[in-house]
């Protein structure tokens, strides 16, 4: 075997077994394709052109001239760990890696102490923390002084928005760089390299275009998932050919880009509600299916539907709230998976219902007056008169009982003096509010004695 881990280009690597894995130096240890194909230089990095332009902070770090700590934020399989490794290689610093899943404050402090001792002999340390968003506040606080005093160059990787998961002091001391999902073209490039490169399969497998297209589709912008799917398919090939049927048989289903505890949780439900508000029933159903497939709590989905019924539809279709509340009850009564049909029922009702923002607008206008101090005394005739001495104070005196009027409505002051004539609710001409609007105007005229 050659001095390197793999043979020269154009030849199959020694130790490649029938499954396509690589036996490192005959030890029986097989290294996954995704690990073998990790870029060894900046030129091999696929995607993230927006972060790797000339003079960009990330390029300076990777090329060894940057000094700021960095938080790499983005979806899985977009190159966060790769970039951290390249930064360490380029800077010539000692590399220490911790996973937030297994490291505690003790381990963090041990690495910092080691880095401090290295500084005395002129060696600097890159500290890579994977899943940094899973560190507790105490663990993150333990990093602050070391980052601020440049004892370590921190490179944190996270799939969650750091604004939600990283403490403010650490956030302010780091560059936050958002990686983007890889495009279909990027994923195809990664796959083709793995098929041709000696670190991968060195041309041993013939992968059809349809198979490549299918892997690209199920990868969802995740290079690691794409390579894993290719590897699983290659392991199942008996004749060196990978076609779409083999891929479908080897790979269960596409990954759903969704994290119930992360920012994807908020992004997807935000898109769900905005699609309902925008009356795009198909988009709303897409996001609903995405949440259901990812195992989102159906009670959370039901609560959002109940809120949307009043916030985005309101009196334009009063039955929308009834449907949403009924869906919430069904979720409680029967649970999943059956309740997913009821959630779909409610989503379609709300997305196709006439829309009105008059309910939240009415509340907002009323709340604005309260915040501005326009909250005068309750008119005496409306005050509580059910206690001794109330009449002597003038409470409930002169109150007119609406049910005594043949029409059930009569002229009478209800708001405080400062707010007489103030309109909060403005019906739209959508759906049921088209009929409510004229009635509201008529009621105001009668009540205000106009």
């Amino acid at each position: 075997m050659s001095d390197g881990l793999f043979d020269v280009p154009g030849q199959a690597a020694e130790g490649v077994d029938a499954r396509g894995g690589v036996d490192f130096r005959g030890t029986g240890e097989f290294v996954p394709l995704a690990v073998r194909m990790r870029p060894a230089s900046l030129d091999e990095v696929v995607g993230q052109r927006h972060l790797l332009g000339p003079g960009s902070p990330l390029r300076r770090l990777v090329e060894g001239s940057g000094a700021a700590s960095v938080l790499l934020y983005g979806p899985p399989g977009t190159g966060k760990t790769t970039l951290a490794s390249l930064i360490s290689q380029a800077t010539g610093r000692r590399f220490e890696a911790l996973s937030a899943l297994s490291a505690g404050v003790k381990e963090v402090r041990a690495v910092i102490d080691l880095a401090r001792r290295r500084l005395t002999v002129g060696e600097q340390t890159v500290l890579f923390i994977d899943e940094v968003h899973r560190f507790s506040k105490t663990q993150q606080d333990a990093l602050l002084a070391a980052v601020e005093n440049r004892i370590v160059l921190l490179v944190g990787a996270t799939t969650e928005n750091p604004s939600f998961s990283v403490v403010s002091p650490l956030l302010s001391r780091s560059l936050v760089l958002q990686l983007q999902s890889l495009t279909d073209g990027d994923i195809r490039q990664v796959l083709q390299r793995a098929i041709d490169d000696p670190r991968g399969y060195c041309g041993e497998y013939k992968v059809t275009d349809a198979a490549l297209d299918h892997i690209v589709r199920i990868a969802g912008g995740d290079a690691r998932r794409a390579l894993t799917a290719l590897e699983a398919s290659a392991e199942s090939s008996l004749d060196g050919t990978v076609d779409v049927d083999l891929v479908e048989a080897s790979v269960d289903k596409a990954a759903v880009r969704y994290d119930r505890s992360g920012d994807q949780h908020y992004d997807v439900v935000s898109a769900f509600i905005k699609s309902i508000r925008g009356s795009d029933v198909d988009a709303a159903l897409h996001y609903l299916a995405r949440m259901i497939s990812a195992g989102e709590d159906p009670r959370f989905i039901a609560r959002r539907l109940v809120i949307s019924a009043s916030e985005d539809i309101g009196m334009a279709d009063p039955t929308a709230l009834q449907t949403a509340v009924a869906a919430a009850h069904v979720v409680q009564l029967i649970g999943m998976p059956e309740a997913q049909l009821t959630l779909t029922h409610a989503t379609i009702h709300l997305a196709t219902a006439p829309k009105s923002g008059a309910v939240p607008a009415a509340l907002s206008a009323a709340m604005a007056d309260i915040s501005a101090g326009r909250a005068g005394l309750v008119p005496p005739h409306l005050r509580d008169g059910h206690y001794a001495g109330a009449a002597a104070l003038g409470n409930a005196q002169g109150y007119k009982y609406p049910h005594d009027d043949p029409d059930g409505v009569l002229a009478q002051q209800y708001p405080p003096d400062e707010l007489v004539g103030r309109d909060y609710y403005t019906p739209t001409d959508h759906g049921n509010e088209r009929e409510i609007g004229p009635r509201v105007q008529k009621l105001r005229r009668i009540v205000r004695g106009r």
Side-chain angles (χ1 to χ4, degrees), residues 188-273:
R188 195 177 184 95
Q189 181 180 342
V190 168
L191 291 169
Q192 195 62 55
R193 180 185 295 165
I195 293 168
D196 299 335
D197 197 286
R199 291 173 297 174
Y201 294 123
C202 199
E204 288 190 24
Y205 291 93
K206 174 179 173 53
V207 184
T208 68
D209 287 340
L212 278 177
D213 290 341
H214 187 62
I215 294 174
V216 168
R217 185 165 55 252
I218 65 176
D222 185 331
R224 183 167 52 244
R225 180 171 176 80
L227 291 171
T228 300
L230 175 62
E231 185 173 39
S233 303
E235 288 176 357
S236 302
S237 176
L238 299 178
D239 60 359
T241 299
V242 175
D243 58 20
V244 69
D245 292 335
L246 184 62
V247 175
E248 289 179 339
S250 303
V251 182
D252 184 17
K253 62 179 180 179
V256 178
R257 183 63 50 74
Y258 190 84
D259 181 350
R260 283 182 289 164
S261 63
D263 61 304
Q264 280 291 319
H265 165 86
Y266 299 103
D267 288 346
V268 173
V269 76
S270 175
F272 174 59
I273 293 304

Side-chain angles (χ1 to χ4, degrees), residues 364-446:
S364 178
M367 294 294 285
D369 275 348
I370 300 300
S371 298
R374 290 189 284 271
L377 297 175
V378 173
H381 60 280
L382 298 184
R383 296 175 190 169
D384 181 22
H386 295 88
Y387 61 92
L393 294 174
N395 291 359
Q397 303 302 301
Y399 172 65
K400 301 175 184 177
Y401 191 56
H403 293 303
D404 290 340
D405 186 271
D407 294 326
V409 184
L410 44 76
Q412 184 166 230
Q413 180 180 334
Y414 290 97
D417 292 343
E418 296 91 331
L419 296 174
V420 170
R422 178 77 164 155
D423 295 347
Y424 293 127
Y425 178 47
T426 304
T428 69
D429 60 355
H430 303 158
N432 187 63
E433 282 191 324
R434 186 181 297 110
E435 299 178 9
I436 294 176
R439 176 170 173 77
V440 167
Q441 294 303 321
K442 181 179 180 180
L443 290 172
R444 283 173 176 158
R445 287 194 298 270
I446 296 172

